[in-house]
Amino acid sequence: MIKNINQICQSILIFFPSILGKISTWFMVLMIFLTAYVVVSRYVFGIGILSLQELIIYCHGITFLVCAAYAFSKDQHVRVDILYRRFSERRKKLINLIGNVIFLQPMLWVILFVSFE
């Protein structure tokens, strides 16, 4: 029973970041076209469109967060690999756990609580 629940949770945690990572590539394409449109409308026609500029910022935020989750799920996130690549798998997992608990989790909780206002 517990093993089935664990497998279901693992499949969900693998499925969502990979699907969202693929969807976020379309946010990048949208950002490119919106940025080009804003630049042309501003410098060629003299029309500034603030709402589209904000939409570009939101697309960038969504893309960054979703791609970060995707990279983290694929273990492709940025780290200093000078010593890490020589470690055993057990030591790598321990370092990832410590880094997650000391650095990632506190920052995520701060962002969560500050964003409520």
Side-chain angles (χ1 to χ4, degrees):
M1 173 78 173
I2 298 280
K3 194 172 190 178
N4 290 337
I5 293 172
N6 188 19
Q7 288 174 344
I8 291 170
C9 290
Q10 283 180 346
S11 64
I12 289 171
L13 290 175
I14 290 170
F15 176 74
F16 279 116
S18 62
I19 290 297
L20 291 175
K22 292 174 185 174
I23 290 172
S24 70
T25 58
W26 291 106
F27 280 107
M28 287 186 241
V29 172
L30 180 64
M31 281 191 315
I32 291 168
F33 286 118
L34 287 176
T35 303
Y37 181 75
V38 167
V39 168
V40 168
S41 67
R42 174 178 288 169
Y43 293 110
V44 174
F45 301 113
I47 301 170
I49 307 170
L50 187 61
S51 59
L52 286 182
Q53 291 174 345
E54 288 181 6
L55 184 60
I56 293 167
I57 293 170
Y58 294 137
C59 285
H60 183 264
I62 290 169
T63 302
F64 182 82
L65 290 175
V66 171
C67 287
Y70 179 71
F72 194 74
S73 72
K74 298 292 183 187
D75 199 28
Q76 298 293 319
H77 51 286
V78 177
R79 66 168 69 86
V80 179
D81 243 0
I82 296 170
L83 300 174
Y84 187 84
R85 65 181 164 204
R86 297 181 193 156
F87 292 156
S88 66
E89 286 300 316
R90 184 171 184 210
R91 185 171 282 183
K92 286 179 182 180
K93 289 179 182 180
L94 180 65
I95 288 172
N96 287 337
L97 177 68
I98 292 170
N100 188 332
V101 171
I102 291 176
F103 298 112
L104 181 64
Q105 291 297 321
M107 191 64 195
L108 291 177
W109 286 106
V110 167
I111 291 171
L112 178 71
F113 289 128
V114 170
S115 66
F116 277 124
E117 294 178 15

